[in-house]
Amino acid sequence: MPLILSNCFTPIQLHHTLTVTLRQRHSLSIFAAPLTLNTTTAVATTTTTIMATSFQLSDASHSLPISPHHLLIVGPGILGRLVAQIWRQEYPGCEVYGQTVTTNHHEELSKIGINPSLEWTKGSHKFPYVIFCAPPYQSSDYLGDLRLAASSWNGEGSFLFTSSSAPYDCNDNGLCDEDSPVVPIGRSPRTDVLLKAEKIVLEFGGSVLRLSGLYISFLESYKGPHIYWLEKGIVESRPDHILNLIHYEDAASLTVAILKKQFRERIFLGCDNHPLSRQEVMDLVYKSGKFSKKFEKFTGTDDPLGKRLNNSKTRQEVGWEPKYSSFAHFLETI
């Protein structure tokens, strides 16, 4: 089962895939840097689509029978698919719609019960629940796309944007929570687009979920920066840089919990409340006994440090706890 983990604390990028072997014939795929949702982001077509309710659409401009719990997911990648699965369990009989930018995974989405289109947000119909979890790099007008998604919300249920914990202004391994200061606009293009996107969502009455580093297990392999470090053996990064993690399943359950509460203009934080240094991550990997390769050491001394995230406020307000309480807990289950 693959582990996907982001060491840049954002659910919107992923690259540098390598493969190593696990004991007992498991395989490991790894990603050196930020997580990319588009590796599994399913997409749709504007040609005729058979909907789960058995009616047909030739494009997204047709009128839809929207129920109180219908959900639109803009960017139905790993997180979006998990959200859709939980949402249908919570609301049997509801419809889940997915807007994507290509048709690469149109058939996959349809098979798992997500009604795909390239143009849901361009139609006249509105949805009671909308979640925007598409990555910025896929769009030439990310903020414009976000405004279209916001305009597709009918204002009744919830509108949620999944952002990143990257904007928190801390790089000394210090403590951060939901209310900690963020970096000023102009410091970094990456944080600029996230902060501007968050502003749009809040102005529309929606809410924001800032997610820390994501990882997941599925199929027969594991993905994550720790696997990249195993492959490299010696890594030119400082060992004391702090990482913050959350399992994809937990990110999805938190997302659904926020949607159901119908919050307005709020900012939440998603993490497991167990920050780890790079060295601590690799120590846990070694102690697990599940990986055949051996990591040697980190050699960096002057690269930036991280931050220690705590989302106790989010947990209390939303009424949520993660399935995997820590990365160590997760390793015990694989």
Side-chain angles (χ1 to χ4, degrees), residues 88-241:
R88 287 195 302 270
Q89 293 171 353
E90 293 283 336
Y91 301 107
C94 75
E95 290 291 341
V96 177
Y97 302 87
Q99 176 161 311
T100 55
V101 295
T102 74
T103 58
N104 295 345
H105 301 279
H106 172 85
E107 185 175 353
E108 293 175 27
L109 282 179
S110 298
K111 286 180 178 179
I112 62 175
I114 298 177
N115 303 308
S117 173
L118 301 177
E119 300 183 338
W120 288 130
T121 61
K122 297 178 182 179
S124 59
H125 44 270
K126 296 183 182 293
F127 301 83
Y129 292 90
V130 177
I131 176 174
F132 191 100
C133 47
Y137 72 88
Q138 286 188 339
S139 172
S140 59
D141 184 12
Y142 190 67
L143 301 183
D145 290 343
L146 189 55
R147 289 188 182 93
L148 283 175
S151 298
S152 297
W153 176 42
N154 68 12
E156 294 179 2
S158 295
F159 175 42
L160 183 65
F161 170 61
T162 56
S163 184
S164 165
S165 60
Y168 287 117
D169 193 8
C170 180
N171 58 5
D172 60 359
N173 283 354
L175 297 175
C176 287
D177 61 21
E178 293 87 345
D179 302 319
S180 294
V182 296
V183 300
I185 293 292
R187 179 181 295 181
S188 162
R190 177 185 171 216
T191 54
D192 280 359
V193 69
L194 292 174
L195 291 172
K196 290 177 180 178
E198 291 181 0
K199 185 174 184 292
I200 291 171
V201 172
L202 296 172
E203 288 175 346
F204 271 89
S207 294
V208 172
L209 173 57
R210 292 172 176 165
L211 292 170
S212 60
L214 291 157
Y215 64 96
I216 195 169
S217 59
F218 60 96
L219 303 176
E220 295 267 335
S221 62
Y222 301 86
K223 299 175 182 178
H226 60 296
I227 307 303
Y228 172 72
W229 298 335
L230 280 173
E231 181 69 19
K232 294 285 289 185
I234 298 177
V235 178
E236 295 181 6
S237 298
R238 57 190 303 166
D240 53 342
H241 176 103

Side-chain angles (χ1 to χ4, degrees), residues 229-267:
W229 298 335
L230 280 173
E231 181 69 19
K232 294 285 289 185
I234 298 177
V235 178
E236 295 181 6
S237 298
R238 57 190 303 166
D240 53 342
H241 176 103
I242 294 296
L243 308 175
N244 298 274
L245 309 173
I246 184 171
H247 194 281
Y248 256 115
E249 292 178 19
D250 291 325
S253 69
L254 176 56
T255 296
V256 170
I258 293 171
L259 287 171
K260 290 176 64 178
K261 290 281 188 176
Q262 300 186 4
F263 291 103
R264 296 292 184 269
E265 301 177 37
R266 301 293 303 278
I267 295 178

